[in-house]
Amino acid sequence: MNNFSIVSSLLDNDFYKFTMQNAVIKLFPLAKAKYEFINRGKHTFPKNFAKILQENLNKMALLKLSKEERIYLEQYCPYLDSSYLDFLNKYQYNPKEVNIFQEGKNIQMYIEGLWSRTILWEVPLMAIISELYYKLTGAQNISEKKIQSITKEKLKKYKKLQVKIGEYGTRRRFSYRIHKLVLEILKKEGKPFFIGSSNVHLSHVFSIKPIGTQGHEWIMFHAAKYGFNIADRIAMENWLTIYNGNLGVALSDTYTSSIFFKNFNKKLSSIFKGVRHDSGDPIYFTKETIKHYKKLKINPIRKKIIFSDNLNPYKVSYISSFCKNKINACFGIGSNFTNDVGFPKMNIVIKMVKAFTKKKWISVVKLSNVQEKSTGKKNMIFLAKKILRI
């Protein structure tokens, strides 16, 4: 058990962590961040879990970007410039940035440090917690044959629907082995509907382009620095400064979609290729998005929505049939690909809780379209709602 390393590459992470890290280095090099582990599913952790987690975490300090990995990034991600790749070349995880405690069956975890460094912890840590949890609670490893047949069955449904699908399942995967197996099938048999994976390491392994743009923390930090009302807009403008219209999908639900659309002005709506839906009723959201584009005299059929909220073939079928001939739909499928093995899926997150900007620590919040996905201190959520008149 102890010789086994769950994360064995610096790139075993979601693509948007690297694109955000690049932007943070360039725009907010001195900003600091605090993150917290949130056990939404109230899972109970076995004895010594924190100790074994710490051992895995310590091994991550040894990870370094390889020459081949750098060449891959240069080839597949031309918008990550050489100054950033030089930074990544020197980057190493520092386990001192992470504090883990176990009390009985509960785990607490806090991450703190420069935002440009700590931003990479969240996804691999969650992947480690997930895989360790299944290993230590005795979940049986499922046969390769079974995984292949489950994945092929889903792929058949998606092909029949003729929808574009991506794989977003790193953070809550059952195991690295199953993740790799699923991607192998998607790459081999998914053409032309499979558009890529958010996992940069596995994208490198299978020579495919990694996908993704930005996460909620990008906008949450902007709210701490510039205020809730304009956080969406400034976050998008800053993104354009760094990427000039590349990676142009805007995240729509950090402070609810109605606030997002107020910030998504004609210029931004024209330049960004589309929006990502991550919470709330997908059909209602689609109607609102189409209405928004039409109001600005932008043809919605030239735009896209990337749906990424807890998807499965049934939901994809329902959403895609509604979007047909109205707006382009793509689907980022997470644990339904990487953790559909007959065991309950973990419901865990690691979220930014504080940002150090303007010379002080400021609590950050996320006001999702659904209450259970909102995060932050109660008094800050109350304040944000008051300011935004939600």
Side-chain angles (χ1 to χ4, degrees):
M1 177 87 209
N2 292 356
N3 300 327
F4 173 76
S5 212
I6 290 174
V7 170
S8 56
S9 161
L10 187 68
L11 297 185
D12 191 359
N13 206 328
D14 275 343
F15 181 53
Y16 73 6
K17 284 293 180 172
F18 299 106
T19 58
M20 286 191 293
Q21 184 182 46
N22 175 40
V24 171
I25 290 163
K26 291 181 170 62
L27 299 176
F28 310 109
L30 300 177
K32 291 179 194 161
K34 284 183 185 175
Y35 299 82
E36 200 174 302
F37 171 68
I38 303 162
N39 183 2
R40 278 188 189 151
K42 307 272 185 279
H43 306 283
T44 58
F45 290 92
K47 204 179 161 193
N48 288 334
F49 190 89
K51 186 173 167 280
I52 298 164
L53 177 57
Q54 186 71 54
E55 285 165 9
N56 269 274
L57 201 113
N58 294 343
K59 284 183 201 162
M60 286 175 67
L62 306 171
L63 300 176
K64 293 206 77 167
L65 190 73
S66 73
K67 214 180 253 164
E68 292 74 27
E69 286 172 331
R70 174 160 181 153
I71 291 165
Y72 165 79
L73 291 173
E74 286 169 346
Q75 197 181 339
Y76 283 81
C77 316
Y79 29 76
L80 295 177
D81 63 9
S82 58
S83 71
Y84 171 64
L85 295 181
D86 291 345
F87 171 88
L88 211 53
N89 256 347
K90 296 187 185 88
Y91 181 89
Q92 278 175 288
Y93 282 106
N94 177 4
K96 287 195 176 80
E97 292 165 348
V98 186
N99 283 304
I100 309 162
F101 310 95
Q102 180 162 2
E103 283 174 27
K105 295 182 171 180
N106 293 325
I107 293 287
Q108 286 179 307
M109 182 158 62
Y110 305 95
I111 303 162
E112 186 184 326
L114 276 174
W115 190 22
S116 59
R117 291 194 41 81
T118 52
I119 197 165
L120 291 191
W121 277 114
E122 175 199 345
V123 177
L125 271 182
M126 284 179 64
I128 291 171
I129 290 168
S130 186
E131 183 159 347
L132 273 183
Y133 178 79
Y134 292 114
K135 270 195 163 58
L136 298 173
T137 54
Q140 298 310 304
N141 238 336
I142 194 160
S143 77
E144 291 199 4
K145 233 183 180 152
K146 182 95 169 111
I147 294 297
Q148 284 164 335
S149 85
I150 291 170
T151 308
K152 285 176 183 176
E153 196 50 47
K154 284 177 196 160
L155 201 47
K156 215 157 76 187
K157 289 175 182 166
Y158 294 134
K159 281 181 157 178
K160 204 172 163 190
L161 291 169
Q162 300 199 317
V163 292
K164 288 205 164 14
I165 52 158
E167 179 277 307
Y168 279 27
T170 302
R171 62 188 63 217
R172 285 181 280 264
R173 65 191 179 198
F174 183 80
S175 68
Y176 172 78
R177 182 185 75 101
I178 282 174
H179 192 176
K180 193 175 177 187
L181 206 58
V182 166
L183 257 189
E184 196 173 356
I185 294 157
L186 292 175
K187 184 190 176 182
K188 208 155 61 187
E189 305 186 19
K191 288 186 188 82
F193 302 107
F194 173 58
I195 55 170
S197 164
S198 67
N199 186 292
V200 188
H201 158 65
L202 288 171
S203 296
H204 173 224
V205 169
F206 293 112
S207 304
I208 51 180
K209 200 174 126 190
I211 54 173
T213 52
Q214 80 266 118
H216 295 99
E217 66 183 287
W218 177 249
I219 301 144
M220 287 156 76
F221 174 84
H222 280 76
K225 195 166 172 67
Y226 304 105
F228 295 112
N229 278 305
I230 53 172
D232 279 306
R233 181 171 61 79
I234 299 184
M236 285 186 271
E237 283 171 357
N238 277 336
W239 199 252
L240 287 180
T241 302
I242 301 296
Y243 292 113
N244 302 316
N246 286 308
L247 306 172
V249 173
L251 184 55
S252 64
D253 70 334
T254 313
Y255 298 109
T256 74
S257 297
S258 60
I259 300 296
F260 166 79
F261 285 123
K262 284 179 189 163
N263 279 277
F264 201 36
N265 57 29
K266 174 111 190 194
K267 176 194 155 188
L268 294 168
S269 296
S270 304
I271 297 172
F272 276 81
K273 296 176 182 80
V275 294
R276 175 154 82 93
H277 168 268
D278 199 46
S279 64
D281 179 351
I283 304 302
Y284 175 75
F285 178 79
T286 304
K287 288 176 181 169
E288 289 298 298
T289 305
I290 291 167
K291 197 166 89 185
H292 174 79
Y293 281 129
K294 284 183 171 168
K295 194 175 83 185
L296 296 175
K297 306 213 167 7
I298 294 169
N299 185 354
I301 210 74
R302 293 176 42 204
K303 297 295 180 180
K304 66 182 172 188
I305 300 176
I306 294 182
F307 294 91
S308 62
D309 183 23
N310 198 13
L311 298 173
N312 56 39
Y314 169 76
K315 280 189 190 170
V316 170
S317 159
Y318 165 68
I319 297 166
S320 64
S321 66
F322 181 80
C323 292
K324 214 177 173 80
N325 303 323
K326 297 186 189 90
I327 193 163
N328 296 298
C330 301
F331 300 89
I333 294 153
S335 52
N336 190 254
F337 267 147
T338 60
N339 195 351
D340 185 16
V341 296
F343 296 102
K345 292 184 178 71
M346 293 200 84
N347 187 0
I348 54 173
V349 291
I350 292 173
K351 285 284 169 206
M352 183 194 271
V353 289
K354 284 188 172 182
F356 189 83
T357 174
K358 300 194 260 196
K359 298 185 179 167
K360 61 177 189 279
W361 283 104
I362 297 171
S363 290
V364 297
V365 297
K366 172 188 161 200
L367 302 178
S368 173
N369 290 324
V370 291
Q371 209 161 346
E372 57 270 21
K373 276 190 149 190
S374 296
T375 61
K377 286 204 166 110
K378 279 201 175 92
N379 60 338
M380 275 311 266
I381 288 176
F382 178 77
L383 180 68
K385 282 182 169 173
K386 201 174 156 183
I387 289 168
L388 294 168
R389 298 183 178 160
I390 294 171

